Each structure stands twice: as structure tokens, then as C-alpha cells.
Amino acid sequence: IVDDMGAVVVIALFYSEPPHLVPLAMAAAVFIGLLGLNRAGVRPITPYLIGGLLLWIAIHETGIHPTIAGVLLALAIPSRTRIKAHEFSTRARGLIAEFDERETGDLLVMTSKGQQEALHALERAAEQVQAPLLRLEHGLQPLVQFLIMPLFAFANAGVRLTGPVEGPLLTSVSAGIVAGLVIGKPLGIFGFSWLAVRLRLAALPAGVTWRFMHGAAWLGGIGFTMSLFVAMLAFGPGLLPAAKTGILVGSVTAGLVGWRLLSREARHSAEGRLEAASGNEDAGR
């Protein structure tokens, strides 16, 4: 997510026209209004989506690349919950107990007003423990994964490997992209993770070793949607096939290496746990 956000910032800074002031002022006003909704404690998603659409239109008219509208909208949608996790857990247990107590004997919720009230209260509690931003992400996930992403890939990832093309597929552009994905991304992810741990700004999750981090850093070299998006903005028709080739080759290479490293480390970790468990059993005997 942070990586994609960085790509959006690059697009906004380097692939946008000088902004037109009137639409820019309108975009600023809409964004301030969205922040006001957040500050006022507005929880329904619909007002934010309407504001986000207006923000996208205004930013598009400024000449700035409209992808920045998504970043600003995400910043405006509330990310805090009304109740904490422990409060929801306590309330949910009480409501489930109340639901069981109000059973009328026919096992039909339709005929038990008490059970219906308990369910409605549980639904409200579940909504209050979820941040609106999380609810929106959860709601959009199936649409993005099964429709938007496949359509984007289908429309933009094609590279002609036979027949006449508008430019060579193997150039310094494709080589540079491959190097960025299979060298730059793993090195940057692993290096900054190591530095953050050394400076005590972060800690490795429980059960995660540096070998696991190494494999995960390679998976970070899979660059697809945003890489294609930036390539279409950065390169003309003559260089775009080479850029797409570099993205595909680099992504496949990084994915295969990451899969190999993680699967090998997972196997070693499982073997180590089995040996430790066997040793404990022998000690117990």
C-alpha cells in the first residue's frame, strides 16, 4: 500500500500539468469539506464517496493527475472506531447471551422480537467497532480483485512477442526496469526494514526471521498495476512495449525467487519445530 501511495505521489509530481487555479481552489474546498465531515464524526460512507467524486472531477480539471484524489479521500475518511475491541467483545457476549435467553421455543428468529432486537444491537456494535475506512476497503476488495484489476491487466499488459512491433522489446529501458524490480525493490525493502529494526523504530513480528523478510522483500519486486500505469505515462509508443516487457520479466523473476526463498525457509522452520517437539517428548520420557 505504501509503495502504491509513493507511485501516486510520483505521478502527481512529475506527470501532471501546471495546475489551473480555479479548479484547484474548488478541490481544496471539497477536501476541507471532507475533513470537516471527519471532524464532525460523520460515519456513513456515502457522503465521503460523493465528496470523493467531486474531488476527482476538480483535481482532473486542475491538470494534476486525478489519482491524487484517491490519496486525499483516504486521508479524509475516518480511521477510528466508536468503541474499542474489548468493549465490543464484552457487549457482543452479553447480546449473544440475551439472544439465547429470548428463544421462544420454535427456533425461528422471525417470531421472537427479543432475538431480533439483540441481533440489531449486535449489528450496531459490529459497525461501531469497524472504522469507516476499513469498511470501505472490505466492501471494495471483491470488486477490485475480481473486476477492476483483471480488466486493467487485460487491457494494458499485452506485449506482442511475434510480428511487427513499434520498437525493440529488449532495450536499456527494459533492462533498467528489470534491475529496479529485482535489485532495487528487494534491496530497498530489506535494507530499510533492517535499518528500522536496528534503530528500534520497529521490530520483527513474532516467528518472523530475517530469512523470511528476505523472501518477502523479493515478493515486493512484483510490480504490475502501478508500474504499468507509470510506464504508460512516462514512455511513448516506441518505448512502451520494452517497458512492459521489463515489468513482466522483472515481476515474474522477483515472484519466483521470493516464492523459492519463502517456501525453503518455511520448510526449514517446520522441520525445526518438529525436531524441537521431538526433543521435548524425549526429555519428558
Side-chain angles (χ1 to χ4, degrees):
I1 293 173
V2 173
D3 184 53
D4 287 351
M5 293 281 283
V8 170
V9 172
V10 169
I11 291 172
L13 292 178
F14 299 104
Y15 297 104
S16 298
E17 301 175 2
H20 303 293
L21 297 182
V22 174
L24 184 61
M26 295 174 61
V30 173
F31 181 58
I32 292 173
L34 289 170
L35 293 178
L37 292 176
N38 188 327
R39 187 71 175 175
V42 176
R43 310 286 293 181
I45 295 296
T46 303
Y48 295 98
L49 295 181
I50 294 174
L53 177 61
L54 296 176
L55 182 65
W56 188 92
I57 294 173
I59 290 180
H60 180 272
E61 294 301 315
T62 65
I64 300 173
H65 202 282
T67 50
I68 199 67
V71 178
L72 297 177
L73 178 60
L75 292 174
I77 298 175
S79 59
R80 294 187 176 90
T81 61
R82 287 187 182 274
I83 60 176
K84 301 296 184 182
H86 68 278
E87 185 178 351
F88 169 76
S89 181
T90 301
R91 189 180 302 182
R93 288 191 180 92
L95 289 171
I96 291 175
E98 182 179 337
F99 179 86
D100 293 336
E101 292 170 359
R102 297 194 176 185
E103 169 60 45
T104 58
D106 57 6
L107 302 180
L108 295 176
V109 177
M110 182 69 73
T111 60
S112 175
K113 184 177 180 180
Q115 285 186 322
Q116 294 173 27
E117 292 175 349
L119 281 177
H120 293 325
L122 185 60
E123 184 179 8
R124 288 194 298 270
E127 181 178 340
Q128 291 173 347
V129 79
Q130 298 180 73
L133 188 61
L134 184 62
R135 293 206 314 273
L136 178 61
E137 178 188 355
H138 182 73
L140 290 177
Q141 189 172 6
L143 179 65
V144 172
Q145 286 186 342
F146 299 112
L147 180 62
I148 296 176
M149 291 278 286
L151 282 178
F152 180 86
F154 181 78
N156 297 293
V159 179
R160 293 190 62 177
L161 300 178
T162 59
V165 295
E166 297 187 39
L169 296 180
L170 300 178
T171 67
S172 59
V173 170
S174 56
I177 291 173
V178 171
L181 293 176
V182 303
I183 298 176
K185 294 289 286 294
L187 183 62
I189 293 171
F190 186 85
F192 277 99
S193 298
W194 178 86
L195 184 62
V197 172
R198 290 286 295 178
L199 296 177
R200 297 184 179 180
L201 300 175
L204 287 178
V208 175
T209 66
W210 283 112
R211 290 182 178 179
F212 276 122
M213 282 297 300
H214 184 210
W218 274 91
L219 291 186
I222 301 174
F224 196 66
T225 51
M226 294 307 297
S227 298
L228 286 172
F229 199 18
V230 173
M232 288 187 293
L233 294 172
F235 301 109
L239 291 176
L240 188 56
K244 289 182 178 180
T245 301
I247 292 169
L248 294 175
V249 171
S251 297
V252 170
T253 302
L256 290 175
V257 173
W259 167 77
R260 178 60 179 167
L261 292 172
L262 287 173
S263 61
R264 184 173 60 184
E265 181 60 21
R267 185 171 60 253
H268 290 166
S269 179
E271 291 173 354
R273 287 195 298 270
L274 288 175
E275 291 177 1
S278 177
N280 291 335
E281 289 179 1
D282 294 339
R285 294 193 188 97

